[in-house]
Amino acid sequence: MNRFSKNSIFTVLFLLGSFYGFAQKKSKLLQTWDPKTLKQANTAIKYEGLTFQEKKVIYYINLVRMNGALFAETYLKDYLHDWRVPRTKYVRSLIKTLKELPSLPPLQPDDDLIKEAKKHAKEMGKSGKKGHRSLDGKGYTERMTKLKEKYKKIKELNQYGLPEALEIVIDLLLDEGVESLTHRRALLTPKYQYIGVGLTYHKKWGTNCSILLAY
């Protein structure tokens, strides 16, 4: 057997082992959660206007809201360990907040919020820009004019550079470097009932996720 063949076999075995380990880990995490909670959190599962990752963003946000303490002990704990995230004050405060968080209702996907979130994410992605201002110069308040006819309160969150739903949600929850914890507070606000998500390519950051919350 030549060297190439040995290396190829080793690579295949390594990948299979990694996949098996990941599958076991995911299975263990899911077993920790009540099946009823997992089903209730998956409010966007049948929504045709969202991609798989966009649906997962809503799913993980709902898991956090419905059982923050368990999320801290499962998904967050594994994330911090796997990525070797330092125990900063933001990490410590998030863990404390989630452990004390009362159960909140899951968010429901909404057509108007999804449409606006996708539009903004697409514009920022193509232009390579960040922020809440549209390409035609409209500020956040002007952009939300029509939506405010339908909702009492709307909040927009933007995240750049992470392609996976769980990473996006945890990054916003950690809010590392944001003293006001704007994103974390929004995701854990009890009053919000509806959500829209747009996740797409960004020419500078790789990916761009726009989230709209409303009630």
XYZ file of all heavy atoms in Angstrom, residues 43-126:
699
model
N -40.918 26.842 15.599
C -42.101 27.507 15.040
C -42.014 27.755 13.533
O -43.030 27.949 12.880
C -42.347 28.852 15.742
O -41.167 29.664 15.634
C -42.692 28.652 17.207
N -40.794 27.760 12.994
C -40.621 28.077 11.565
C -40.397 26.837 10.706
O -40.112 26.954 9.516
C -39.443 29.033 11.390
N -40.544 25.660 11.280
C -40.185 24.422 10.575
C -40.924 24.249 9.241
O -40.365 23.743 8.272
C -40.433 23.186 11.484
C -39.868 21.923 10.810
C -41.900 23.031 11.816
C -39.858 20.712 11.718
N -42.166 24.683 9.168
C -42.941 24.499 7.945
C -43.032 25.779 7.109
O -43.768 25.817 6.115
C -44.349 24.003 8.287
C -44.369 22.619 8.911
C -45.798 22.166 9.190
C -45.808 20.770 9.808
N -47.200 20.308 10.093
N -42.277 26.785 7.495
C -42.339 28.067 6.785
C -41.487 27.997 5.518
O -40.270 27.850 5.581
C -41.853 29.193 7.685
C -42.260 30.565 7.209
C -43.427 31.155 7.682
C -41.504 31.250 6.268
C -43.818 32.405 7.228
C -41.888 32.498 5.808
C -43.041 33.072 6.300
O -43.428 34.297 5.858
N -42.113 28.108 4.359
C -41.418 27.926 3.085
C -40.530 29.110 2.700
O -39.637 28.968 1.873
C -42.440 27.662 1.975
C -43.220 26.361 2.162
C -44.191 26.104 1.035
O -44.299 26.961 0.138
O -44.852 25.043 1.046
N -40.764 30.269 3.278
C -39.995 31.451 2.893
C -38.672 31.612 3.594
O -37.997 32.633 3.439
N -38.257 30.616 4.360
C -36.995 30.684 5.099
C -36.076 29.534 4.727
O -36.530 28.421 4.452
C -37.268 30.630 6.614
C -37.996 31.826 7.233
C -38.471 31.469 8.635
C -37.086 33.045 7.271
N -34.772 29.795 4.741
C -33.794 28.738 4.505
C -33.638 27.906 5.779
O -34.131 28.280 6.850
C -32.425 29.327 4.136
O -31.899 30.038 5.272
C -32.532 30.262 2.948
N -32.925 26.809 5.663
C -32.715 25.930 6.819
C -32.037 26.678 7.965
O -32.471 26.596 9.125
C -31.861 24.731 6.401
C -31.500 23.817 7.546
C -32.441 22.948 8.073
C -30.227 23.847 8.095
C -32.112 22.107 9.133
C -29.889 23.013 9.154
C -30.837 22.143 9.670
N -30.968 27.429 7.649
C -30.245 28.149 8.694
C -31.084 29.270 9.298
O -30.993 29.556 10.498
C -28.926 28.706 8.149
C -27.839 27.666 7.938
C -27.437 26.951 9.224
O -27.440 27.536 10.296
N -27.056 25.689 9.100
N -31.896 29.925 8.497
C -32.780 30.980 9.009
C -33.805 30.391 9.979
O -34.114 30.989 11.023
C -33.473 31.696 7.852
C -32.512 32.581 7.043
C -33.097 33.053 5.731
O -34.121 32.487 5.271
O -32.517 33.979 5.131
N -34.316 29.219 9.647
C -35.247 28.539 10.549
C -34.546 28.156 11.848
O -35.149 28.245 12.936
C -35.796 27.272 9.873
C -36.734 27.539 8.712
C -37.212 26.237 8.095
C -38.129 26.498 6.901
N -38.605 25.228 6.288
N -33.285 27.748 11.738
C -32.534 27.350 12.926
C -32.232 28.545 13.827
O -32.153 28.402 15.054
C -31.227 26.657 12.526
C -31.405 25.366 11.774
C -32.084 24.298 12.620
C -31.143 23.656 13.609
N -31.764 22.500 14.306
N -32.046 29.716 13.240
C -31.844 30.927 14.046
C -33.056 31.134 14.949
O -32.926 31.380 16.162
C -31.628 32.170 13.152
C -31.722 33.452 13.992
C -30.269 32.107 12.472
N -34.248 31.032 14.378
C -35.485 31.186 15.149
C -35.593 30.083 16.198
O -35.975 30.329 17.351
C -36.705 31.167 14.211
C -36.654 32.368 13.257
C -38.012 31.168 15.006
C -37.755 32.379 12.208
N -35.247 28.882 15.807
C -35.314 27.717 16.699
C -34.445 27.909 17.942
O -34.911 27.731 19.084
C -34.866 26.487 15.914
C -34.734 25.208 16.711
C -35.849 24.563 17.226
C -33.476 24.624 16.903
C -35.724 23.371 17.926
C -33.348 23.433 17.606
C -34.474 22.810 18.115
O -34.347 21.631 18.807
N -33.194 28.317 17.754
C -32.291 28.486 18.898
C -32.689 29.678 19.772
O -32.565 29.623 21.001
C -30.852 28.638 18.420
C -30.253 27.349 17.910
C -29.730 27.252 16.619
C -30.209 26.212 18.710
C -29.194 26.069 16.142
C -29.676 25.016 18.238
C -29.167 24.954 16.955
O -28.635 23.773 16.502
N -33.172 30.742 19.140
C -33.644 31.884 19.928
C -34.814 31.444 20.812
O -34.896 31.811 21.993
C -34.080 33.044 19.010
C -32.859 33.674 18.332
C -34.838 34.110 19.811
C -33.200 34.746 17.317
N -35.698 30.636 20.256
C -36.839 30.150 21.035
C -36.410 29.219 22.162
O -36.981 29.260 23.255
C -37.845 29.448 20.117
C -38.689 30.430 19.327
O -38.821 31.593 19.706
N -39.268 29.968 18.227
N -35.423 28.391 21.921
C -34.928 27.513 22.983
C -34.391 28.334 24.145
O -34.644 28.016 25.313
C -33.826 26.583 22.452
C -34.260 25.431 21.548
C -33.045 24.577 21.179
C -35.317 24.551 22.228
N -33.645 29.381 23.829
C -33.105 30.259 24.871
C -34.239 30.885 25.668
O -34.207 30.925 26.903
C -32.242 31.390 24.256
C -31.791 32.352 25.347
C -31.041 30.818 23.546
N -35.239 31.385 24.973
C -36.355 32.064 25.623
C -37.182 31.095 26.482
O -37.643 31.446 27.567
C -37.258 32.722 24.571
C -36.625 33.930 23.888
C -37.481 34.431 22.734
N -38.803 34.850 23.151
C -39.117 36.078 23.558
N -38.182 37.014 23.614
N -40.360 36.376 23.911
N -37.369 29.900 26.003
C -38.236 28.946 26.693
C -37.578 28.284 27.897
O -38.235 27.965 28.878
C -38.715 27.890 25.698
C -39.596 28.463 24.589
S -40.012 27.251 23.312
C -41.182 26.230 24.214
N -36.264 28.071 27.803
C -35.549 27.450 28.929
C -34.090 27.911 28.917
O -33.200 27.195 28.474
C -35.625 25.925 28.846
C -35.228 25.247 30.147
O -34.446 25.789 30.930
N -35.750 24.058 30.382
N -33.866 29.121 29.409
C -32.532 29.704 29.398
C -31.523 28.913 30.200
O -30.374 28.761 29.793
N -31.948 28.389 31.352
C -31.040 27.635 32.219
C -30.520 26.379 31.524
O -29.324 26.073 31.573
C -31.742 27.263 33.517
N -31.410 25.665 30.857
C -31.004 24.440 30.161
C -30.157 24.770 28.946
O -29.212 24.040 28.626
C -32.247 23.639 29.737
C -31.968 22.276 29.097
C -31.087 21.414 29.991
C -33.281 21.561 28.786
N -30.470 25.859 28.262
C -29.650 26.277 27.125
C -28.226 26.571 27.586
O -27.250 26.210 26.911
C -30.256 27.525 26.472
C -29.604 27.911 25.170
C -30.074 27.416 23.969
C -28.501 28.755 25.146
C -29.465 27.752 22.758
C -27.889 29.109 23.958
C -28.373 28.604 22.756
N -28.095 27.207 28.746
C -26.770 27.524 29.291
C -25.987 26.267 29.622
O -24.767 26.216 29.438
C -26.923 28.387 30.544
N -26.688 25.234 30.071
C -26.037 23.987 30.470
C -25.761 23.051 29.305
O -25.012 22.079 29.460
C -26.900 23.260 31.511
C -26.878 23.887 32.882
C -25.486 23.858 33.502
O -24.797 22.832 33.357
O -25.085 24.866 34.104
N -26.347 23.323 28.163
C -26.175 22.430 27.007
C -25.475 23.145 25.853
O -24.254 23.084 25.713
C -27.530 21.866 26.558
O -28.471 22.940 26.329
C -28.098 20.928 27.599
N -26.240 23.839 25.041
C -25.682 24.457 23.834
C -24.605 25.498 24.140
O -23.552 25.511 23.501
C -26.801 25.090 23.005
C -27.703 24.081 22.357
C -28.964 23.809 22.890
C -27.297 23.372 21.224
C -29.798 22.859 22.299
C -28.118 22.433 20.633
C -29.369 22.180 21.178
O -30.183 21.237 20.593
N -24.867 26.373 25.100
C -23.886 27.409 25.421
C -22.623 26.811 26.018
O -21.504 27.181 25.639
C -24.484 28.429 26.395
C -23.541 29.550 26.841
C -23.071 30.371 25.641
C -24.214 30.448 27.870
N -22.775 25.874 26.928
C -21.628 25.237 27.573
C -20.735 24.547 26.547
O -19.504 24.673 26.586
C -22.115 24.219 28.606
C -20.997 23.566 29.419
C -21.584 22.632 30.465
C -20.479 22.000 31.307
N -21.054 21.096 32.346
N -21.340 23.813 25.632
C -20.578 23.123 24.590
C -19.885 24.116 23.665
O -18.735 23.914 23.255
C -21.493 22.212 23.772
C -21.676 20.857 24.411
O -21.345 20.724 25.604
O -22.140 19.925 23.734
N -20.577 25.179 23.318
C -20.008 26.208 22.436
C -18.782 26.846 23.079
O -17.732 26.991 22.443
C -21.064 27.268 22.144
C -20.572 28.424 21.296
C -20.635 28.362 19.903
C -20.044 29.565 21.891
C -20.184 29.416 19.124
C -19.592 30.627 21.115
C -19.664 30.548 19.742
O -19.201 31.596 18.978
N -18.889 27.229 24.325
C -17.782 27.868 25.033
C -16.588 26.926 25.137
O -15.429 27.352 25.017
C -18.229 28.291 26.439
C -19.341 29.352 26.492
C -19.765 29.582 27.943
C -18.885 30.656 25.853
N -16.871 25.636 25.341
C -15.797 24.644 25.455
C -15.141 24.383 24.096
O -13.911 24.388 23.974
C -16.358 23.337 26.013
C -15.351 22.217 26.056
N -15.192 21.328 25.012
C -14.428 21.868 27.002
C -14.231 20.469 25.309
N -13.757 20.779 26.509
N -15.955 24.160 23.074
C -15.428 23.820 21.752
C -14.596 24.950 21.151
O -13.593 24.710 20.485
C -16.569 23.459 20.797
C -17.247 22.156 21.172
O -16.681 21.408 21.982
O -18.351 21.890 20.653
N -15.017 26.186 21.373
C -14.320 27.340 20.820
C -13.342 27.972 21.810
O -12.724 28.989 21.499
C -15.326 28.386 20.334
C -16.084 27.937 19.133
C -17.314 27.359 19.094
C -15.630 27.982 17.776
N -17.679 27.050 17.812
C -16.653 27.425 16.968
C -14.457 28.444 17.162
C -16.538 27.322 15.588
C -14.358 28.343 15.776
C -15.390 27.787 15.017
N -13.228 27.340 22.979
C -12.296 27.807 24.015
C -12.461 29.303 24.287
O -11.493 30.080 24.303
C -10.844 27.502 23.610
C -10.582 26.002 23.430
C -9.157 25.718 23.036
N -8.923 24.294 22.850
C -7.773 23.750 22.487
N -6.724 24.540 22.259
N -7.646 22.456 22.348
N -13.701 29.689 24.479
C -14.027 31.093 24.729
C -13.605 31.476 26.149
O -13.977 30.806 27.108
C -15.540 31.342 24.561
C -15.876 32.809 24.830
C -15.987 30.929 23.166
N -12.821 32.537 26.315
C -12.388 32.983 27.642
C -13.585 33.368 28.517
O -14.605 33.844 28.013
C -11.519 34.213 27.343
C -11.102 34.044 25.919
C -12.258 33.375 25.240
N -13.472 33.199 29.834
C -14.560 33.520 30.758
C -14.569 35.023 31.062
O -14.261 35.468 32.165
C -14.397 32.720 32.040
C -14.478 31.216 31.851
C -15.862 30.700 31.904
N -16.491 30.900 33.189
C -17.627 30.324 33.546
N -18.251 29.519 32.696
N -18.161 30.555 34.716
N -14.922 35.795 30.069
C -14.987 37.241 30.237
C -16.207 37.614 31.080
O -17.063 36.769 31.376
C -15.090 37.951 28.874
O -16.347 37.578 28.272
C -13.949 37.537 27.959
N -16.333 38.890 31.408
C -17.492 39.334 32.180
C -18.788 39.158 31.392
O -19.860 38.965 31.977
C -17.330 40.792 32.611
C -17.349 41.807 31.477
C -17.268 43.231 32.027
C -17.369 44.277 30.917
N -17.335 45.668 31.467
N -18.678 39.194 30.068
C -19.863 39.008 29.232
C -20.329 37.550 29.276
O -21.532 37.277 29.297
C -19.570 39.423 27.788
C -19.289 40.898 27.660
C -17.986 41.387 27.689
C -20.325 41.821 27.539
C -17.717 42.745 27.592
C -20.078 43.180 27.440
C -18.764 43.638 27.470
O -18.513 44.980 27.388
N -19.388 36.639 29.278
C -19.716 35.215 29.382
C -20.345 34.928 30.742
O -21.393 34.270 30.842
C -18.461 34.338 29.189
C -18.782 32.880 29.505
C -17.926 34.470 27.769
N -19.727 35.430 31.793
C -20.227 35.190 33.153
C -21.626 35.788 33.345
O -22.509 35.159 33.928
C -19.263 35.771 34.186
C -17.890 35.116 34.187
C -17.101 35.486 35.429
N -16.886 36.930 35.540
C -15.852 37.576 35.010
N -14.941 36.903 34.305
N -15.709 38.877 35.170
N -21.823 37.001 32.830
C -23.128 37.645 33.008
C -24.209 36.942 32.197
O -25.366 36.851 32.631
C -23.053 39.125 32.618
O -22.875 39.286 31.219
N -23.840 36.410 31.014
C -24.825 35.700 30.192
C -25.272 34.428 30.904
O -26.472 34.130 30.964
C -24.245 35.350 28.821
C -25.160 34.501 27.924
C -26.494 35.203 27.673
C -24.478 34.179 26.598
N -24.327 33.672 31.427
C -24.665 32.436 32.142
C -25.587 32.740 33.316
O -26.591 32.053 33.543
C -23.387 31.733 32.632
C -22.580 31.227 31.427
C -23.735 30.557 33.547
C -21.220 30.660 31.786
N -25.272 33.771 34.068
C -26.097 34.170 35.217
C -27.496 34.584 34.765
O -28.509 34.170 35.358
C -25.438 35.333 35.961
C -26.166 35.800 37.222
C -25.372 36.884 37.931
C -26.023 37.263 39.255
N -27.370 37.829 39.098
N -27.560 35.373 33.713
C -28.849 35.838 33.190
C -29.716 34.678 32.733
O -30.919 34.624 33.037
C -28.634 36.813 32.011
O -27.953 37.979 32.483
C -29.969 37.221 31.394
N -29.128 33.748 31.990
C -29.898 32.614 31.471
C -30.380 31.692 32.583
O -31.495 31.151 32.522
C -29.057 31.826 30.459
C -28.724 32.546 29.151
C -27.971 31.608 28.207
C -29.968 33.081 28.476
N -29.562 31.511 33.602
C -29.961 30.641 34.708
C -31.115 31.231 35.519
O -31.870 30.507 36.163
C -28.765 30.373 35.610
C -27.744 29.419 34.984
C -26.632 29.068 35.950
C -25.705 28.015 35.337
N -24.613 27.618 36.255
N -31.245 32.562 35.473
C -32.308 33.232 36.223
C -33.496 33.610 35.338
O -34.496 34.137 35.837
C -31.743 34.501 36.875
C -30.635 34.221 37.886
C -29.988 35.494 38.404
O -30.309 36.586 37.861
O -29.158 35.406 39.335
N -33.405 33.323 34.039
C -34.424 33.745 33.093
C -35.713 32.920 33.245
O -35.684 31.694 33.185
C -33.902 33.583 31.660
C -34.812 34.098 30.535
C -34.847 35.626 30.535
C -34.308 33.585 29.177
N -36.858 33.581 33.424
C -38.129 32.843 33.462
C -38.479 32.351 32.069
O -37.981 32.872 31.072
C -39.127 33.894 33.952
C -38.541 35.192 33.506
C -37.047 35.032 33.635
N -39.320 31.375 31.983
C -39.718 30.840 30.683
C -40.511 31.880 29.897
O -41.484 32.449 30.402
C -40.564 29.582 30.874
O -40.933 29.039 29.619
N -40.073 32.130 28.660
C -40.721 33.114 27.792
C -41.376 32.402 26.611
O -40.930 31.323 26.204
C -39.692 34.123 27.269
C -38.868 34.873 28.318
C -37.834 35.760 27.632
C -39.759 35.686 29.224
N -42.415 32.979 26.031
C -43.088 32.338 24.885
C -42.206 32.339 23.641
O -41.431 33.273 23.428
C -44.333 33.207 24.682
C -43.959 34.540 25.244
C -43.079 34.238 26.428
N -42.320 31.303 22.816
C -41.544 31.252 21.570
C -42.015 32.308 20.582
O -43.187 32.702 20.589
C -41.802 29.838 21.047
C -43.149 29.491 21.606
C -43.195 30.117 22.968
N -41.110 32.762 19.741
C -41.437 33.767 18.726
C -41.999 33.089 17.477
O -41.562 32.002 17.093
C -40.185 34.564 18.363
C -39.507 35.298 19.529
C -38.154 35.852 19.077
C -40.389 36.412 20.051
N -42.936 33.773 16.831
C -43.562 33.236 15.631
C -43.050 33.971 14.389
O -42.939 35.198 14.397
C -45.087 33.400 15.714
C -45.722 32.751 16.927
C -45.573 31.250 16.951
O -45.614 30.596 15.895
N -45.397 30.676 18.134
N -42.719 33.253 13.319
C -42.269 33.912 12.082
C -43.388 34.740 11.474
O -44.559 34.341 11.527
C -41.881 32.741 11.180
C -42.662 31.580 11.695
C -42.754 31.790 13.182
N -43.033 35.889 10.926
C -44.025 36.794 10.354
C -43.589 37.236 8.960
O -42.426 37.602 8.752
C -44.183 38.016 11.263
C -45.120 39.049 10.684
O -46.340 38.938 10.910
O -44.637 39.969 9.992
N -44.503 37.210 8.017
C -44.206 37.522 6.610
C -43.558 38.887 6.419
O -42.550 39.016 5.728
C -45.486 37.463 5.770
C -45.977 36.042 5.558
O -45.180 35.111 5.722
O -47.165 35.873 5.228
N -44.147 39.919 7.010
C -43.649 41.277 6.811
C -42.251 41.465 7.402
O -41.391 42.123 6.810
C -44.617 42.297 7.433
C -45.952 42.335 6.699
O -45.948 42.117 5.470
O -46.980 42.578 7.341
N -42.030 40.895 8.576
C -40.721 41.003 9.220
C -39.658 40.235 8.438
O -38.522 40.694 8.287
C -40.786 40.481 10.658
C -41.711 41.240 11.614
C -41.718 40.564 12.982
C -41.274 42.697 11.743
N -40.034 39.081 7.941
C -39.104 38.265 7.152
C -38.727 38.983 5.858
O -37.554 39.026 5.468
C -39.720 36.885 6.840
C -39.802 36.045 8.116
C -38.893 36.140 5.777
C -40.588 34.764 7.969
N -39.709 39.553 5.209
C -39.467 40.262 3.954
C -38.483 41.413 4.156
O -37.538 41.593 3.376
C -40.790 40.798 3.402
C -40.659 41.513 2.065
C -42.023 41.990 1.564
C -41.887 42.719 0.232
N -43.220 43.185 -0.266
N -38.676 42.200 5.211
C -37.799 43.335 5.478
C -36.412 42.879 5.916
O -35.396 43.461 5.515
C -38.417 44.236 6.555
C -37.566 45.437 6.926
C -37.272 46.365 5.757
O -38.130 46.484 4.848
O -36.180 46.982 5.739
N -36.356 41.827 6.735
C -35.063 41.313 7.199
C -34.230 40.786 6.033
O -33.028 41.046 5.929
C -35.283 40.201 8.228
N -34.873 40.062 5.132
C -34.172 39.521 3.969
C -33.705 40.641 3.036
O -32.595 40.586 2.486
C -35.078 38.537 3.214
C -35.202 37.169 3.868
C -36.130 36.272 3.057
C -36.090 34.835 3.548
N -34.825 34.152 3.226
N -34.555 41.632 2.868
C -34.211 42.755 1.997
C -32.992 43.498 2.527
O -32.056 43.807 1.775
C -35.393 43.713 1.891
C -35.113 44.950 1.042
C -36.307 45.902 1.031
C -35.989 47.164 0.246
N -37.126 48.134 0.276
N -32.989 43.778 3.822
C -31.877 44.528 4.412
C -30.587 43.707 4.380
O -29.514 44.237 4.061
C -32.210 44.923 5.846
C -31.200 45.840 6.449
N -30.948 47.105 5.961
C -30.339 45.674 7.497
C -30.006 47.684 6.679
N -29.612 46.841 7.610
N -30.687 42.425 4.708
C -29.509 41.563 4.692
C -28.909 41.493 3.285
O -27.690 41.541 3.102
C -29.876 40.163 5.180
N -29.763 41.392 2.293
C -29.311 41.319 0.891
C -28.614 42.608 0.476
O -27.559 42.577 -0.177
C -30.499 41.034 -0.016
C -30.123 40.786 -1.470
C -31.353 40.415 -2.285
C -30.979 40.130 -3.740
N -32.191 39.760 -4.541
N -29.185 43.756 0.853
C -28.596 45.048 0.499
C -27.223 45.222 1.146
O -26.268 45.659 0.497
C -29.519 46.185 0.936
C -30.735 46.374 0.056
C -31.483 47.659 0.379
O -31.071 48.382 1.302
O -32.483 47.936 -0.306
N -27.134 44.892 2.430
C -25.855 45.024 3.135
C -24.824 44.053 2.562
O -23.641 44.382 2.443
C -26.046 44.776 4.630
C -26.921 45.795 5.349
S -26.284 47.494 5.292
C -27.269 48.194 3.929
N -25.289 42.871 2.217
C -24.384 41.860 1.672
C -23.771 42.273 0.356
O -22.565 42.130 0.139
N -24.588 42.798 -0.548
C -24.101 43.205 -1.865
C -23.209 44.439 -1.794
O -22.250 44.577 -2.559
C -25.282 43.475 -2.802
C -25.967 42.210 -3.300
C -27.011 42.556 -4.347
C -27.599 41.289 -4.953
N -28.600 41.583 -6.013
